[in-house]
Amino acid sequence: MTHKVGAFCELIEFLRNSHARWARDPQIDPKQRKLNDVISKAYSVIEPGKLGQILKETKAKGTIGFSPCKDFLFLKPPDKESVLPVLSIMGDLKGNGLSVRMALFTFDGSEVPAAVGFRFETPHGVGRHNYHHAQMIKSFDKSMRDLPQVPPWLPVTQPALMMSATNPLSLFLGILIGIYGLGDLLHDWKGQQFTHHLKEDLLELQRGCGAPLN
């Protein structure tokens, strides 16, 4: 499991670096740039040094914990979509536990920020949510304000949608595939060392979802 935890950490760092490169690119879509600038003022992009410390502890102990009110992993937008994915991550990988909260930010027709949010979790144990699942959220944490323009009636307990994951790593891979698409993701990751250690988890996820196996 240790090598897979290391691969997970490498993937997290790759995602942070990909967003940083995208944000510095002078050719990016002006609307996406504006969205990134506005959202990063309300939700702090985790600093490289702080992420390095978190990942160092993850490699040593298998646990990962972003401060729900201070640290957020920004991802580059998927191609041809004016949405900005922002994640908060908590979990114990060696204990097969992971919780990822994700908001997809955009602008409405009046150029005002809006978002839809999800949480992705490993099984809770005895109860209705004892399987890998996804639910909707109103905020990253109960102590924080609601996401912009989130409906007050949003159901946050049910539905709890089943996911084809079997462990924290395949759950996280499934989130990323949902954002970017499998083909684009594999193209983006070509040549990255972490793909070797996550290959079986990815193939297992593809089989469970009925996706073509390359």
Side-chain angles (χ1 to χ4, degrees):
M1 183 65 179
T2 302
H3 61 284
K4 288 195 174 187
V5 172
F8 173 82
C9 292
E10 290 175 19
L11 173 55
I12 294 293
E13 193 162 18
F14 174 86
L15 293 170
R16 194 215 71 84
N17 292 339
S18 294
H19 171 266
R21 286 194 300 271
W22 168 84
R24 292 192 300 265
D25 185 351
Q27 303 299 319
I28 66 174
D29 180 271
K31 187 174 182 178
Q32 289 184 335
R33 181 183 297 281
K34 180 182 177 182
L35 178 64
N36 186 74
D37 290 345
V38 170
I39 300 306
S40 62
K41 291 177 181 177
Y43 300 88
S44 300
V45 181
I46 191 165
E47 297 178 354
K50 190 165 188 178
L51 179 61
Q53 287 298 318
I54 290 174
L55 296 182
K56 182 178 180 180
E57 184 170 338
T58 302
K59 291 176 184 178
K61 300 180 180 179
T63 58
I64 185 167
F66 284 37
S67 169
C69 303
K70 297 179 181 179
D71 305 317
F72 298 93
L73 180 68
F74 278 51
L75 305 184
K76 67 178 183 179
D79 287 345
K80 301 178 182 179
E81 295 290 344
S82 295
V83 295
L84 180 69
V86 177
L87 278 59
S88 178
I89 307 170
M90 299 284 290
D92 179 358
L93 302 179
K94 291 183 179 179
N96 284 322
L98 186 68
S99 176
V100 178
R101 289 183 172 241
M102 177 180 74
L104 298 176
F105 292 94
T106 189
F107 285 131
D108 66 11
S110 301
E111 295 295 302
V112 175
V116 60
F118 305 90
R119 71 176 178 267
F120 304 88
E121 296 179 324
T122 47
H124 289 181
V126 177
R128 288 193 294 173
H129 298 158
N130 193 17
Y131 52 89
H132 293 82
H133 60 278
Q135 297 163 269
M136 304 192 79
I137 59 172
K138 295 180 181 179
S139 66
F140 280 107
D141 186 79
K142 291 180 180 179
S143 64
M144 298 182 67
R145 63 188 181 282
D146 284 352
L147 297 169
Q149 300 197 59
V150 65
W153 48 261
L154 194 75
V156 296
T157 302
Q158 297 293 139
L161 305 173
M162 278 189 169
M163 296 188 67
S164 183
T166 58
N167 59 58
L169 299 177
S170 58
L171 178 68
F172 193 69
L173 291 173
I175 297 169
L176 298 177
I177 291 170
I179 297 171
Y180 298 109
L182 180 58
D184 287 354
L185 204 64
L186 293 178
H187 179 270
D188 200 30
W189 291 357
K190 189 174 182 180
Q192 297 298 320
Q193 184 64 32
F194 60 76
T195 60
H196 173 71
H197 294 302
L198 299 179
K199 183 176 180 180
E200 285 303 316
D201 297 290
L202 183 59
L203 287 174
E204 193 172 82
L205 187 63
Q206 289 176 253
R207 293 189 193 100
C209 291
L213 301 178
N214 299 323

